[in-house]
Amino acid sequence: MAAPHFIVFANEKGGTGKSTTAVHAAVGLAAAGRRVGALDLDTRQRTLGRYLDNRAASMRRLGAELPMPMFETFDPAKDDNLEGTLDRLGADAEIVVVDTPGRDDPYARAAMLRADTLVTPINDSFVDLDLIGEVDPETYKIRRPSFYAELVWNSRTQRAKTTGASVDWVVLRNRLQHIEAKNMRRVGQALDELSRRVGFRIIPGLGERVIYRELFPKGLTLLDLGQLGEVGLSHIAARQELREMIAGFGLPDEGESAPAPRAAAAG
């Protein structure tokens, strides 16, 4: 079997929808017929692990078979062999989704070195953009890449030297529809400029919808419309949003190699 494709969701700033995006991506890929493993590296919050625990409980309660990835929560107090855990999940999966903590963490940095696709969700604001690029307050142009962009640069460089493999860095713009139009344009222009400098792709992520939070206790997703009862147009729109996000990752089909990512430029 071909080596698994690792998708690592990483952002050192909390509140960006990272874990919600990761769990929906894992379930969405499973629903598309992919063999998916999922690993939660956030031992404290454990959002992805708890979400999938809730999903497993709903399947037992409802007597329903739902798309479900294999999943584990990493606990270094019990076993700090992250490489072994990733290898174990990858042995039975073609895609492994890794959710990292919203803080600087040595295991998150190690996971980034395994990433074939690195996904950084950000809310569409200059507060979140500051994580990856410093913006001039007068012109709104990028002054320089920030610490996180440098961290990703170093990880990509180290991976290329060690394995010869490259990393496709994807920045997700979450909660787009609730941003004032002028601010959205400014953030978009700054992101476009930064993407050319440090080499990432930009795709739309998930909107600000209450439904994502409401589904957590049952572990359900927008792909489980048969279990949701009354379904409105907002559910349908959110499901399409999720499908478009997953398509935007540009993952290889089973047995194919990953598409070539955009080359990063120093500085």
Side-chain angles (χ1 to χ4, degrees):
M1 189 170 69
H5 188 97
F6 286 91
I7 310 175
V8 178
F9 287 78
N11 184 329
E12 292 183 7
K13 182 182 180 300
T16 60
K18 175 177 58 59
S19 295
T20 298
T21 307
V23 74
H24 278 75
V27 172
L29 288 164
R34 312 299 290 266
R35 298 187 311 281
V36 182
L39 181 63
D40 192 340
L41 288 186
D42 194 343
T43 310
R44 286 188 232 162
Q45 294 281 351
R46 203 175 164 266
T47 303
L48 180 142
R50 286 167 52 225
Y51 204 119
L52 294 175
D53 280 341
N54 293 345
R55 185 172 183 82
S58 288
M59 290 169 65
R60 292 191 296 270
R61 185 178 67 255
L62 298 170
E65 288 294 323
L66 301 175
M68 184 72 169
M70 304 170 288
F71 71 99
E72 294 186 29
T73 297
F74 182 70
D75 186 352
K78 297 178 180 177
D79 180 4
D80 65 353
N81 184 8
L82 176 60
E83 291 294 323
T85 302
L86 291 170
D87 289 341
R88 185 171 62 252
L89 273 173
D92 295 318
E94 57 176 303
I95 297 173
V96 177
V97 174
V98 182
D99 185 29
T100 64
R103 61 182 183 273
D104 187 18
D105 178 88
Y107 296 105
R109 293 191 181 210
M112 288 169 65
L113 294 175
R114 294 288 292 266
D116 298 294
T117 302
L118 177 66
V119 182
T120 301
I122 65 169
N123 294 326
D124 218 53
S125 73
F126 284 110
V127 173
D128 281 19
L129 177 58
D130 189 65
L131 177 81
I132 52 178
E134 182 181 317
V135 177
D136 186 282
E138 299 294 333
T139 65
Y140 296 99
K141 290 187 176 296
I142 295 294
R143 284 177 167 171
R144 64 182 65 86
S146 295
F147 71 96
Y148 187 74
E150 293 176 358
L151 172 64
V152 174
W153 168 266
N154 291 334
S155 294
R156 296 167 86 181
T157 302
Q158 185 175 342
R159 177 177 167 85
K161 288 180 178 178
T162 303
T163 67
S166 55
V167 181
D168 184 18
W169 186 13
V170 178
V171 172
L172 283 182
R173 295 179 72 182
N174 277 340
R175 304 181 173 115
L176 274 172
Q177 67 267 46
H178 288 267
I179 306 300
E180 183 268 327
K182 183 184 292 185
N183 185 67
M184 184 188 295
R185 285 197 304 274
R186 286 172 173 168
V187 172
Q189 289 166 357
L191 271 172
D192 286 341
E193 179 187 347
L194 187 58
S195 73
R196 291 190 293 271
R197 290 180 63 174
V198 300
F200 56 77
R201 295 191 294 118
I202 307 164
I203 66 172
L206 302 181
E208 177 61 79
R209 300 181 188 275
V210 175
I211 187 64
Y212 289 118
R213 294 186 291 276
E214 291 180 341
L215 292 176
F216 173 81
K218 294 182 179 180
L220 298 178
T221 74
L222 274 305
L223 299 173
D224 305 311
L225 295 186
Q227 308 296 332
L228 297 182
E230 187 175 347
V231 173
L233 290 177
S234 63
H235 294 81
I236 304 299
R239 182 178 65 175
Q240 183 60 26
E241 183 178 83
L242 171 59
R243 287 174 169 168
E244 290 175 358
M245 180 194 76
I246 293 174
F249 293 152
L251 302 178
D253 292 331
E254 186 173 7
E256 292 183 351
S257 60
R262 177 184 296 179

